[in-house]
Amino acid sequence: MIFFFFNDTATTEIYTLSLHDALPISPDAEQMKARLALMGSIATVQKVTVNGQTWHRVRIGPFKGARKADEKRRMLSDNNFDTLVMKVNP
C-alpha cells in the first residue's frame, strides 16, 4: 500500500484567482462578481487599461498557500468558470 501526502510547505505564499476572460464592460464584470457571490466566493473587479483599451478583471482571493487557491479553482471549474491561479509577489 502506498500513501501520498500533499505537503504545502509554502503556506506563507499568497495566491489569487483571476477569471480567465477580462471583460470590456463594467456591468458584465459586476454581474460575474454577483454570480460568484451566490456561490460563496467574494470577488473584486479591477479596472485596467491595456493598449488604450479599458478592461475589467474579476479576481478572487487572496488565499494563503497554493492548496487553498487550487481548491477554489477546482470548485469554480466545476461550475464552468475558467480561472488562472496567480502567485502574489510581496
Side-chain angles (χ1 to χ4, degrees):
M1 186 179 293
I2 299 173
F3 292 96
F4 292 96
F5 296 95
F6 181 76
N7 187 9
D8 193 2
T9 58
T11 56
T12 58
E13 294 179 337
I14 304 297
Y15 294 82
T16 62
L17 297 178
S18 178
L19 275 81
H20 186 64
D21 298 320
L23 301 164
I25 302 171
S26 180
D28 291 343
E30 292 297 333
Q31 182 180 19
M32 184 176 289
K33 178 181 169 182
R35 285 180 50 212
L36 290 163
L38 290 173
M39 296 171 39
S41 297
I42 299 172
T44 59
V45 176
Q46 297 176 337
K47 182 178 171 181
V48 296
T49 301
V50 178
N51 295 328
Q53 191 168 12
T54 300
W55 295 92
H56 299 85
R57 295 179 179 159
V58 181
R59 299 274 171 97
I60 302 171
F63 299 94
K64 187 174 181 183
R67 177 185 290 178
K68 291 190 183 290
D70 193 56
E71 287 172 1
K72 181 62 82 170
R73 182 201 59 77
R74 279 191 253 145
M75 186 276 296
L76 292 171
S77 178
D78 290 345
N79 287 280
N80 300 315
F81 285 97
D82 189 17
T83 59
L84 175 67
V85 177
M86 299 175 16
K87 183 176 175 183
V88 176
N89 293 324

